[in-house]
């Protein structure tokens, strides 16, 4: 994959560059602020961008703003946003508009190298990757608790996996159930949440997430 | 006794001056009244006449303030309104007259009392020495009474000036409450700033290091090559030590425990040791200040030193802490390039912290240096 990194901590930036290089990915640019990120993407659009939410000068949400701009201007570029802590607002903002190839991970998730690389690949491939913690909070805070209450425990597990962006095959693997079992659960979930089943994997994830975050 | 006598003479002179001033004030009040009479019912005209009248009243009131301060030891704040100055001037003449009467009486008493000394110059022969002695006794008694009178009038002068010019008790209280509310709000802000800084320190320092450490370990686990795994583990080991150092730094910045354990001097010496520029500490306090004061003094020094090292490239910083008459003076001087901004977040936060203790902070930092950050704190 061709990757551009934006992270203001030199330490972490260097670590990520090394990690990606070891995994055989090509790092086109590694920058320390949002302005340089946009410039780098404009020069040579990558498959995927990894951006920290907080970057200079104000350390608030420059990274997220840049990510949203990239989503708008270069729809083919996947965007994986790293955040210090779960901000429902960020997740919700990322989920509005075109939502193919977005990801939102907690920064600490980078420590789980396998999970991080997996999320990065999913986003690069135009799918989604949402941090389990983000999903947990969206599930916990949703205003649709009455509808969620209809779900069985197993269905909730499947919903959480789905919202993180996993495919049915992956969910089956992770929850140790058959793929047809997963499909049965997902259909039940869509029925209970009154979501009209859309085509395509990513759309269903985002439909769920958007529904939870609304 | 001598002090008393000196004060009496000064007060007496002050009253005589007051009488002279009263004549001017009475004239002024009369003229002002005459000038205002024809325009009393006409607002625009009244305003036009009032302006010079008020300006004149202020001048007279200022002169009076000078007289009260120099001769009668009465201090009145200069922060009064012009209208009140006019009222004061309009009323004060009566007191001036009273002062004059008292002084005249004193003179008469003195004349009678000392008649025995110069009487023979005026009279051919003293036929009745008994009545002369009685007369002089009466004269001295009168002098004694007028001494009481002088201090009484001085007391009245003070009351009148405070009534018209000084802040009234209620106002004084309101001002103080406003001041306290402002400083309380500033404390809350300062605390929030601190918390923000701590959060930033934790996230941008410690957390990044821990994430980097985790990544190194993750890479080591994924590595197929034994040599590379060993190298990555070695790096991770170093990184963990750095993360610990960083954590210690952050904890120290949040609150220096040395301050509690070993006192202000030790804490300041630690600041000096940790700085990358030579820092000289002159500590001249006889006893350990209260904790609140010590903490603020510590942060003033810490912040000023950090700022200087970060922005001014000094070759030397000198810190001085001394106390005088229940006030503590903390100063941090550096020979760097100056141009520190007192409204910048760090120094502004410090100023708020100092103000919360009713102290004051000044920053003098001309471009080209040197910079002096000085705090004055009440203590004891």
């Amino acid at each position: 994959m061709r990757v551009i990194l934006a992270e203001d901590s030199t330490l972490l930036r260097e670590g990520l560059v090394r990690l990606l290089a070891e995994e055989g990915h090509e790092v086109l640019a590694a920058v320390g602020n949002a302005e340089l990120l946009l410039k780098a993407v404009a020069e040579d659009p990558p498959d995927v961008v990894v951006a920290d939410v907080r970057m200079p000068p104000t350390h608030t949400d420059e990274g997220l703003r840049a990510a949203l701009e990239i989503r708008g201007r270069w729809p083919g570029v996947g965007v994986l946003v790293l955040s210090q802590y779960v901000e429902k607002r960020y997740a919700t903002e990322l989920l509005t508009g075109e939502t193919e190839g977005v990801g939102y991970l907690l920064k600490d998730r980078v420590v789980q190298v396998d999970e991080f690389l997996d999320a990065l690949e999913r986003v690069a491939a135009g799918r989604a990757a949402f941090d389990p913690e983000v999903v947990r909070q969206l599930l916990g805070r949703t205003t649709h608790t009455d509808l969620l209450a209809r779900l069985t425990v197993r269905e909730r597990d499947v919903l959480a996996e789905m919202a993180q962006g996993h495919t049915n095959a992956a969910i089956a693997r992770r929850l140790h159930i058959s793929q047809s079992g997963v499909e049965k659960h997902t259909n039940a979930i869509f029925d209970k949440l009154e979501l009209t089943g859309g085509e395509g994997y990513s759309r269903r994830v985002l439909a769920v997430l958007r529904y939870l975050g609304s | 006794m001598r002090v008393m006598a000196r004060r009496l003479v000064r007060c007496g002179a002050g009253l005589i001056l007051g009488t002279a001033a009263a004549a001017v004030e009475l004239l002024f009040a009369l003229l002002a009244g005459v000038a205002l009479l024809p325009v009393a019912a006409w607002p625009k005209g009244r305003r036009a006449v009032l302006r010079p009248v008020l300006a004149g009243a202020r001048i007279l009131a200022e002169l009076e303030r000078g007289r009260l301060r120099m001769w009668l030891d009465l201090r009145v704040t200069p922060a009064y309104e012009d209208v009140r100055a006019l009222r004061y001037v309009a009323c004060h003449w009566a007191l001036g007259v009273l002062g004059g009467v008292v002084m005249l009486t004193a003179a008469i008493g003195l004349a009678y009392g000392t008649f025995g000394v110069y009487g023979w110059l005026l009279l051919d022969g003293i036929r009745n020495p008994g009545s002369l002695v009685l007369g002089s006794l009466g004269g001295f008694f009168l002098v004694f009474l007028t001494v009481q009178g002088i201090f009484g009038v001085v007391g009245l002068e003070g009351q009148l000036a405070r009534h018209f010019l000084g802040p009234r008790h209620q106002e004084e209280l309101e001002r103080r409450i406003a001041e306290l509310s402002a400083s309380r709000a500033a404390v809350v802000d300062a605390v929030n700033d601190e918390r923000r800084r701590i959060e930033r320190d934790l996230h941008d320092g410690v957390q990044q290091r821990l994430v980097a450490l985790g990544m190194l370990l993750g890479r080591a686990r994924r590595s197929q090559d034994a040599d590379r795994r060993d190298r990555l583990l070695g790096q991770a080991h170093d990184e963990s030590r750095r993360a610990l150092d960083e954590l210690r730094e952050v904890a120290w910045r949040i609150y220096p425990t040395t301050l509690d354990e070993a006192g202000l001097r030790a804490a300041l010496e630690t600041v000096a040791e940790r700085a990358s520029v030579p820092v000289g500490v002159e500590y001249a306090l006889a006893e350990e200040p209260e904790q609140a004061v010590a903490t603020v003094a510590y942060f003033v020094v810490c912040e000023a030193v950090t700022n200087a090292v970060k922005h001014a490239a000094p070759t030397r910083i000198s810190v001085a802490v001394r106390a005088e008459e229940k006030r503590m003076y903390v100063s941090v001087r550096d020979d760097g390039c100056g141009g520190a901004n007192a409204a910048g977040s760090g120094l502004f936060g410090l100023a708020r912290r100092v103000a919360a203790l009713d102290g004051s902070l000044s920053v003098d930092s001309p471009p080209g240096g040197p910079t002096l950050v000085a705090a004055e704190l009440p203590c004891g």
Side-chain angles (χ1 to χ4, degrees):
Chain A
M1 281 187 295
R2 300 161 79 253
V3 189
I4 290 183
L5 292 173
E7 159 65 59
D8 59 317
S9 157
T10 325
L11 190 69
L12 217 57
R13 196 166 62 222
E14 291 310 311
L16 283 168
V17 170
R18 293 248 173 79
L19 170 66
L20 293 173
E22 278 165 20
E23 295 296 322
H25 300 303
E26 188 190 350
V27 180
L28 302 179
V31 297
N33 66 51
E35 200 184 330
L36 291 172
L37 167 64
L38 290 170
K39 211 184 275 179
V41 174
E43 265 173 31
D44 187 4
D47 299 323
V48 64
V49 165
V50 181
D52 182 6
V53 171
R54 287 215 296 197
M55 281 195 285
T58 66
H59 292 274
T60 50
D61 58 0
E62 287 83 352
L64 183 79
R65 300 271 141 255
L68 293 170
E69 192 171 328
I70 292 166
R71 301 263 347 104
R73 285 168 58 186
W74 297 278
V77 177
V79 172
L80 178 61
V81 173
L82 301 178
S83 174
Q84 305 271 29
Y85 32 73
V86 175
E87 269 273 8
K88 188 174 160 185
R89 191 166 51 91
Y90 297 160
T92 321
E93 280 194 71
L94 279 168
L95 290 169
T96 50
E98 270 305 309
T99 44
E100 302 288 296
V102 283
Y104 180 65
L105 289 189
L106 276 182
K107 216 175 204 177
D108 309 0
R109 203 62 58 185
V110 175
V111 172
Q112 260 75 29
V113 174
D114 305 353
E115 280 188 41
F116 170 69
L117 290 167
D118 179 48
L120 192 64
E121 272 162 27
R122 273 188 278 151
V123 171
R127 303 210 301 273
F130 279 82
D131 198 284
E133 184 58 23
V134 176
V135 174
R136 203 181 57 78
Q137 293 211 13
L138 289 179
L139 278 170
R141 287 195 220 156
T142 178
T143 45
H144 301 276
T145 39
D146 48 337
L147 288 173
L148 278 182
R150 300 180 189 174
L151 301 182
T152 64
V153 176
R154 209 56 177 148
E155 284 164 355
R156 271 166 175 275
D157 291 345
V158 172
L159 174 66
E161 292 292 330
M162 232 164 51
Q164 283 173 46
H166 294 291
T167 56
N168 281 357
I171 296 175
R173 215 174 34 248
R174 290 166 72 95
L175 295 180
H176 312 293
I177 48 180
S178 68
Q179 202 164 324
S180 62
V182 175
E183 277 160 21
K184 206 172 72 213
H185 283 309
T186 51
N187 289 332
I189 291 167
F190 285 132
D191 284 346
K192 287 185 180 175
L193 297 186
E194 297 163 11
L195 291 166
T196 45
E199 283 306 303
Y201 141 85
S202 205
R203 234 183 317 171
R204 78 177 187 169
V205 175
L206 298 165
V208 172
L209 271 177
R210 203 177 283 164
Y211 160 85
L212 292 173
S214 64
Chain B
M1 194 70 208
R2 265 226 328 265
V3 176
M4 191 81 177
R6 199 176 304 145
R7 177 142 193 261
L8 181 66
V9 171
R10 273 180 49 219
C11 287
L15 290 191
I16 292 169
L17 282 173
T19 308
V24 178
E25 284 158 5
L26 182 59
L27 193 66
F28 177 82
L30 287 173
L31 285 174
V34 169
L36 280 167
L37 212 52
V39 291
W42 177 39
K44 205 169 159 189
R46 194 170 61 223
R47 272 199 297 275
V49 175
L50 260 178
R51 205 166 304 125
V53 166
L54 288 177
R58 176 164 277 274
I59 292 169
L60 286 173
E62 279 301 300
L63 287 171
E64 281 288 25
R65 256 182 13 100
R67 177 178 70 88
L68 295 177
R69 196 183 58 241
M70 281 170 57
W71 298 95
L72 311 182
D73 289 334
L74 294 168
R75 292 198 183 337
V76 185
T77 70
Y80 52 85
E81 295 152 23
D82 291 356
V83 176
R84 297 176 74 174
L86 182 61
R87 286 186 201 145
Y88 172 76
V89 167
C91 295
H92 179 259
W93 64 268
L95 203 52
V97 171
L98 180 62
V101 169
V102 169
M103 291 315 289
L104 191 66
T105 316
I108 292 168
L110 214 55
Y112 267 105
T114 53
F115 191 78
V117 178
Y118 59 84
W120 55 273
L121 290 173
L122 306 176
L123 304 174
D124 299 347
I126 295 166
R127 276 184 232 123
N128 204 345
S131 66
L132 192 134
V133 170
L134 269 180
S136 60
L137 276 179
F140 280 125
F141 184 65
L142 198 58
V143 169
F144 167 73
L145 285 183
T146 53
V147 168
Q148 300 302 314
I150 287 172
F151 288 131
V153 174
V154 169
L156 283 176
E157 285 265 22
Q159 276 188 20
L160 189 80
R162 271 193 296 273
H163 177 76
F164 282 112
L165 302 181
R168 276 172 294 206
H169 187 58
Q170 178 83 11
E171 280 176 8
E172 187 68 26
L173 283 177
E174 281 169 7
R175 195 182 56 81
R176 185 69 186 138
I177 288 170
E179 228 173 57
L180 288 174
S181 308
S183 77
R184 190 185 60 174
V187 173
V188 173
D189 284 347
V191 167
N192 284 339
D193 284 349
E194 288 283 299
R195 290 198 170 155
R196 239 173 257 129
R197 208 196 60 193
I198 293 165
E199 190 268 347
R200 176 81 54 84
D201 278 353
L202 285 172
H203 266 144
D204 295 356
V206 181
Q207 193 194 15
Q208 310 285 15
R209 289 223 176 268
L210 289 172
V211 171
L213 169 65
M215 264 170 59
L216 283 167
L217 292 171
R219 281 165 57 199
R221 283 180 67 182
R222 284 174 76 89
S223 174
Q224 307 300 326
D225 172 28
D227 276 354
R228 192 164 76 182
R229 187 163 46 232
D230 282 344
R231 208 176 53 244
L232 285 168
L233 282 175
Q235 285 178 16
H237 193 189
D238 291 345
E239 198 54 61
S240 71
R241 216 180 38 240
R242 280 196 287 270
L244 279 172
D245 287 345
E246 185 91 35
L247 187 62
R248 206 173 306 117
E249 283 284 327
V250 171
W252 173 269
R253 279 199 295 270
I254 292 171
Y255 193 84
T257 38
T258 318
L259 203 53
D260 293 345
E261 289 160 11
L264 181 59
R265 178 196 287 252
L268 293 182
E269 278 163 2
T270 316
V271 172
E273 282 160 24
R274 296 160 67 98
S276 54
V277 174
V279 178
V281 180
E282 264 181 69
Y283 185 90
L285 296 186
E287 51 192 35
E288 183 66 16
E290 288 168 41
Q291 201 180 2
V293 179
T295 308
V296 170
Y298 167 82
F299 277 111
V300 167
V301 172
C302 204
E303 184 76 24
V305 168
T306 309
N307 265 346
V309 171
K310 216 191 293 186
H311 305 297
T315 58
R316 192 173 165 69
I317 300 173
S318 50
V319 174
V321 183
R322 59 193 175 82
E324 252 174 55
E325 292 182 3
K326 299 203 167 175
R327 310 236 3 121
M328 180 163 137
Y329 299 89
V330 180
S331 67
V332 181
R333 194 184 300 273
D334 71 70
D335 59 359
C337 63
N341 178 8
S345 68
L347 286 169
F348 185 63
L350 270 191
R352 287 200 295 209
R353 278 190 95 130
V354 172
L357 288 183
D358 274 342
S360 63
L361 181 91
S362 67
V363 179
D364 177 40
S365 184
T371 299
L372 173 66
V373 176
E376 186 183 325
L377 296 160
C379 72

